[in-house]
Amino acid sequence: MAVWLKHGMSFNNNGEFVRTEVKIDNGVIAAIGPELAVDADGHVIDVGGKLIAPGLIDLHVHLREPGGEAKETIETGTLAAAKGGFTTVAAMPNTNPVPDTKEQMEWLQARIRETARVNVLPYAAITIGQKGEELTDFAALKEAGAFAFTDDGVGVQSAGMMFEAMKRAAALDMAIVAHCEDDTLKNGGAVHDGDFARRHGIAGIPSVCESVHIARDVLLAEAAGCHYHVCHISTKESVRIVRDAKRAGIRVTAEVTPHHLLLCEDDIPGLDANYKMNPPLRSRADREALIEGLLDGTIDLIATDHAPHITAEKAKGIEAAPFGIVGLETAFPLLYTHFVKTGVFSLKQLVDWLTVKPAQCFGLNAGRLAVGAPADLTVIDLEAEETIDPETFASKGKNTPFAGWKCQGWPVMTFVNGTLVWEKGRE
């Protein structure tokens, strides 16, 4: 039975915010218009003037399964994604075991089919066990359904190994996605090497730890002819390198997280491990460079780096606790409230960075509000105001620095392939 979303709003081909109605039939968008006629037996959902957007896409999440089910599972993580308006997520491979063989990737794909609420694109590891010692079988992993290759969580330390990985990926028309961190410069740090670290006597991670890897890798990508994607960019130097690489015609793309756009080291209130992530919250100048880089196209898209942890782990304090915060359920309202409502971004820009741009960068059949496209949609109430409360999260992870923040712009319905997978009030 076909479904009609009536009395919504969205953007037309000219970028104008207009009344929009959508017909969904057999899992695809069958019609779009300002006022659609409804069949006698059609199912109508009146969205009451709310935003109808393509389902959001997050190319950087940690679902923890297998091996970390106490922190998150594919089921709970994808329910959190649906609640946040995301219909496609890409799952990082730092699990136990790591998806570094065809057999493990096939197991993971089966588990996704069994339990995922939204579309999940699984990354495969660049190196066996993410140990940086031996490359995985890229061709076999692609055949088993790998989305791209990354050792996210650790940087590939050997330039020679990264170059070989890029050549193999390029031959398969696959991307290398990089967590950029030179271990010889990390200094055992827990936060950015800046004012906060000095005030509290904590070892800091310098900006050059990230930027030197990006500088190395863009030159390797140029030589290999590879699509190279930079994870969670965080420093002004990194932005400059990516900007220069793009100007040189190198195929590099980059993402930034909501927390690096919203916060800097000056915002850390004390030794609260909910402000500990990798890369760390940098300086105010770095944060400003990230916003500028997003606005001028140097940074292509926004990704959450959703990283759930057990509450007891985060209670160990900022030096001993693991890196990472959750982000799937709060990304859109945080960004809408603090950038769109304040006039820094337009609503269309924000939606594009979370839909069109990730789809374009990785050639995905997603992120489009168009006839014939998959009916992956999110309905967002731009007027609704709520206070972020971790105890209401669908994610097992409650580790966020944004608890207590009041935000507008909350998803209320999420459709995947035409099926309503989450609706506010019916969790």
Side-chain angles (χ1 to χ4, degrees):
M1 180 175 63
V3 175
W4 278 259
L5 302 184
K6 299 284 286 182
H7 308 127
M9 299 293 291
S10 195
F11 297 97
N12 64 16
N13 292 333
N14 297 322
E16 300 165 322
F17 197 51
V18 297
R19 176 169 165 167
T20 303
E21 299 187 348
V22 178
K23 178 185 178 182
I24 301 170
D25 199 6
N26 291 319
V28 301
I29 297 172
I32 301 173
E35 189 169 2
L36 298 179
V38 179
D39 295 345
D41 62 346
H43 177 59
V44 173
I45 299 175
D46 187 341
V47 302
K50 298 177 181 66
L51 171 67
I52 301 174
L56 310 183
I57 299 169
D58 191 345
L59 295 181
H60 193 144
V61 305
H62 298 269
L63 298 181
R64 304 300 190 203
E65 187 177 1
E69 288 86 352
K71 300 184 180 189
E72 194 78 286
T73 64
I74 292 167
E75 183 175 14
T76 60
T78 56
L79 177 58
K83 191 175 176 183
F86 291 91
T87 57
T88 298
V89 299
M92 289 298 174
N94 57 339
T95 53
N96 185 20
V98 171
D100 56 8
T101 66
K102 179 180 179 181
E103 293 74 20
Q104 188 57 32
M105 180 58 67
E106 288 173 342
W107 179 92
L108 184 57
Q109 292 280 18
R111 188 67 177 154
I112 289 166
R113 288 192 295 271
E114 291 168 5
T115 65
R117 300 289 191 96
V118 304
N119 303 306
V120 179
L121 307 173
Y123 284 101
I126 294 173
T127 65
I128 293 173
Q130 294 189 294
K131 295 179 180 178
E133 297 170 356
E134 183 179 354
L135 293 176
T136 57
D137 186 337
F138 282 22
L141 286 162
K142 178 181 180 180
E143 182 182 350
F147 165 60
F149 299 100
T150 184
D151 272 4
D152 182 64
V154 289
V156 176
Q157 299 304 302
S158 164
M161 183 163 291
M162 181 60 105
F163 188 39
E164 180 61 27
M166 287 181 172
K167 289 189 288 186
R168 293 188 189 184
L172 296 167
D173 194 26
M174 297 280 276
I176 291 291
V177 176
H179 173 109
C180 297
E181 193 169 38
D182 187 316
D183 287 352
T184 66
L185 298 169
K186 192 172 179 180
N187 297 335
V191 295
H192 173 60
D193 184 19
D195 292 340
F196 180 88
R198 285 187 284 274
R199 282 200 312 271
H200 293 277
I202 298 172
I205 303 171
S207 295
V208 72
C209 178
E210 171 182 292
S211 57
V212 73
H213 253 206
I214 298 174
R216 177 198 76 175
D217 286 354
V218 294
L219 296 174
L220 295 176
E222 180 180 36
C226 176
H227 173 198
Y228 169 66
H229 180 76
V230 180
C231 289
H232 44 45
I233 194 168
S234 72
T235 80
K236 60 184 184 296
E237 296 85 2
S238 299
V239 174
R240 185 179 73 227
I241 292 162
V242 171
R243 184 179 288 121
D244 290 345
K246 286 190 169 189
R247 287 172 178 164
I250 300 171
R251 191 181 176 193
V252 55
T253 55
E255 71 191 32
V256 65
T257 71
H259 46 274
H260 286 108
L261 292 170
L262 287 159
L263 299 170
C264 67
E265 63 171 346
D266 298 345
D267 299 307
I268 306 174
L271 302 182
D272 182 350
N274 285 321
Y275 289 80
K276 181 181 181 179
M277 62 283 291
N278 191 6
L281 297 175
R282 303 284 188 183
S283 71
R284 188 172 300 277
D286 290 312
R287 175 179 171 269
E288 291 169 354
L290 296 174
I291 295 168
E292 181 184 352
L294 192 57
L295 286 167
D296 72 15
T298 299
I299 300 171
D300 299 270
L301 57 101
I302 298 171
T304 69
D305 192 10
H306 175 81
H309 290 292
I310 298 168
T311 301
E313 290 180 313
K314 278 295 193 177
K316 294 177 181 178
I318 204 162
E319 291 186 87
F323 293 99
I325 65 169
V326 292
L328 282 167
E329 297 171 64
T330 58
F332 190 91
L334 280 167
L335 294 166
Y336 177 74
T337 301
H338 294 279
F339 290 107
V340 176
K341 294 285 288 183
T342 58
V344 180
F345 305 156
S346 71
L347 177 59
K348 186 175 189 305
Q349 283 177 314
L350 176 58
V351 171
D352 283 357
W353 287 321
L354 290 164
T355 58
V356 175
K357 295 300 178 68
Q360 288 176 342
C361 287
F362 284 81
L364 303 177
N365 184 25
R368 295 182 298 130
L369 191 62
V371 173
D376 295 345
L377 303 168
T378 185
V379 178
I380 300 172
D381 187 341
L382 298 176
E383 301 303 318
E385 183 175 84
E386 295 181 20
T387 299
I388 294 173
D389 178 4
E391 294 309 309
T392 68
F393 289 173
S395 171
K396 288 188 175 186
K398 314 303 178 189
N399 46 307
T400 175
F402 300 113
W405 287 38
K406 277 189 177 180
C407 296
Q408 286 182 248
W410 292 88
V412 295
M413 294 180 197
T414 303
F415 296 82
V416 175
N417 294 317
T419 298
L420 182 62
V421 296
W422 178 82
E423 182 177 5
K424 184 174 176 59
R426 296 186 181 180
E427 289 89 341

